[in-house]
Amino acid sequence: MTDFRSGFIAILGKPNVGKSTLVNSLLGQKIAAVSPRPQTTRRRQLGILTIADAQLVFVDTPGVHTPRHKLGQFFNQEAEQALDGVDIILFLVDASSEPDEDDQRIAGLLAALRRKPDLVLGLNKLDLLPAEVLEMRRVAYQALVPEAPALAFSATGRLGLDELITALTAHLPVRPPEYPEDQLTDLFEREIATELIREAALIFLRDEVPHALAVRLDEFTERGEEGAFIAATLFVERESQKGIVIGEGGAMLKKIGSAARKEIETMSGRKVFLELRVKLSKNWRDDEEALRRFGYKIKD
Ligand code: GDP
Ligand code: MG
């Protein structure tokens, strides 16, 4: 594994060129439709693809979802910052139509970046155009970014995606993987889900189980069209608190679960199955190891 490659790839392009679709296709539909509310996330979201000899971490920057009229504004204000630490920029275009002024503006701003990551031109929607038109489009888009290698593919038709992965991998530095190989996205959504469960529990429990409650996310599995499956454990410090959290015939836990599920669904824009358990963990607040498990940072 000495020449394992890994790095960050920002997918940039105007709305509707297929950025989200491409990430989903590359990852096998596994993080489909993950779209946290704008006010809950101002951080970028990652799509992580791990293959035998490389890890490709796709970065979905907030600006990628910026409405057309705000695109230029975003780029002017935030592009440098959003692209910080990125190894490759994949400039994605819709090859089924001519380049327009949005494409031109993005190309212009890319050219003006002070720190220049490797640039790759992605001609998407290959399935929509006959070969002779493709050549014409390739020339037209290539003119915007003359130095960038160009690849044509179809995110929905899954054409040319292996070649795209190979080309991107070649531009990545030799570097060990940043994330576990089974991880598909960064922890951000999990963190929010955990917080939402805790929040729901605290709303219903009020002062009865004050701060003696911790939430651990045990499982977060994508189930494609069906949404996501989430299992979490609520930890309490005393046996009596366990009874309160579970409630009469499980009624309280059900109420918490249902409220948390709705919040998570709104946050992530897809269906969620949520399974909650309650466990006793004596004095977890004094236990460093437990604190770490619950994701609390311990100051030195
Ligand atoms: P984004 O705004 O750049 O993230 O674009 P989306 O991923 O939301 O895609 C916009 C539209 O283009 C959707 O209706 C997709 O189904 C469609 N689309 C994306 N990639 C392709 C492709 O390769 N071929 C075709 N025919 N449609 C595509
Ligand atoms: Mg999108």
Side-chain angles (χ1 to χ4, degrees):
M1 270 245 238
T2 47
D3 53 2
F4 193 93
R5 288 171 187 272
S6 97
F8 291 82
I9 301 149
I11 304 183
L12 294 185
K14 67 185 179 185
N16 276 316
V17 294
K19 298 177 296 292
S20 307
T21 309
L22 179 63
V23 174
N24 287 335
S25 290
L26 291 171
L27 270 57
Q29 299 291 351
K30 285 168 190 161
I31 64 161
V34 176
S35 54
R37 283 180 294 195
Q39 64 270 34
T40 53
T41 175
R42 284 173 58 234
R43 220 187 82 171
R44 59 195 195 179
Q45 192 183 338
L46 307 181
I48 306 163
L49 174 68
T50 308
I51 53 176
D53 55 356
Q55 182 169 79
L56 291 77
V57 184
F58 295 95
V59 183
D60 212 351
T61 62
V64 159
H65 303 292
T66 305
R68 198 185 193 88
H69 61 280
K70 286 194 176 157
L71 195 65
Q73 201 187 329
F74 159 75
F75 266 93
N76 293 330
Q77 292 169 359
E78 295 183 46
E80 297 269 352
Q81 197 188 330
L83 298 174
D84 190 38
V86 155
D87 300 289
I88 303 172
I89 295 174
L90 176 60
F91 176 29
L92 198 65
V93 301
D94 176 355
S96 72
S97 60
E98 300 275 352
D100 65 11
E101 55 182 34
D102 284 337
D103 297 299
Q104 279 163 12
R105 194 180 305 133
I106 294 173
L109 291 155
L110 288 175
L113 285 177
R114 269 171 292 149
R115 191 189 71 88
K116 288 196 205 315
D118 283 5
L119 188 61
V120 173
L121 172 63
L123 302 155
N124 190 30
K125 310 201 185 183
L126 175 60
D127 56 297
L128 293 180
L129 62 165
E132 63 275 17
V133 181
L134 170 65
E135 206 33 53
M136 199 177 80
R137 290 287 152 73
R138 186 198 295 270
V139 171
Y141 280 104
Q142 187 77 75
L144 299 178
V145 281
E147 78 284 13
L151 283 113
F153 47 84
S154 166
T156 49
R158 293 166 181 262
L159 281 167
L161 295 184
D162 287 344
E163 290 81 354
L164 174 64
I165 290 170
T166 305
L168 293 173
T169 300
H171 284 268
L172 291 176
V174 172
R175 190 196 277 157
E178 182 106 354
Y179 300 94
E181 62 175 83
D182 59 348
Q183 192 173 327
L184 294 166
T185 186
D186 57 347
L187 295 177
F188 189 49
E189 202 186 14
R190 294 169 185 239
E191 286 159 9
I192 301 176
T194 308
E195 266 314 297
L196 290 174
I197 294 166
R198 202 178 124 78
E199 198 179 279
L202 292 179
I203 286 168
F204 288 111
L205 298 169
R206 301 227 165 75
D207 299 328
E208 293 172 279
V209 188
H211 296 287
L213 188 82
V215 179
R216 185 186 69 198
L217 211 68
D218 302 313
E219 191 181 338
F220 195 130
T221 312
E222 300 299 337
R223 291 188 175 167
E225 299 283 288
E226 286 177 56
F229 173 78
I230 300 172
T233 305
L234 307 184
F235 286 90
V236 292
E237 285 184 317
R238 287 198 299 276
E239 193 61 45
S240 62
Q241 293 167 337
K242 201 173 160 183
I244 295 170
V245 175
I246 293 171
E248 200 65 50
M252 179 56 89
L253 195 59
K254 214 166 161 181
K255 248 178 13 186
I256 295 169
S258 158
R261 177 181 54 74
K262 283 188 195 127
E263 286 297 317
I264 299 170
E265 284 179 341
T266 308
M267 177 270 292
S268 70
R270 67 209 198 297
K271 224 170 134 59
V272 164
F273 297 86
L274 178 62
E275 204 175 272
L276 295 181
R277 270 172 294 238
V278 183
K279 263 193 188 164
L280 188 65
S281 174
K282 287 209 171 75
N283 305 321
W284 64 261
R285 275 182 290 176
D286 300 328
D287 180 349
E288 274 207 14
E289 189 44 44
L291 284 171
R292 268 206 199 86
R293 256 189 289 129
F294 298 131
Y296 292 89
K297 291 218 170 65
I298 298 161
K299 289 196 187 89
D300 292 324

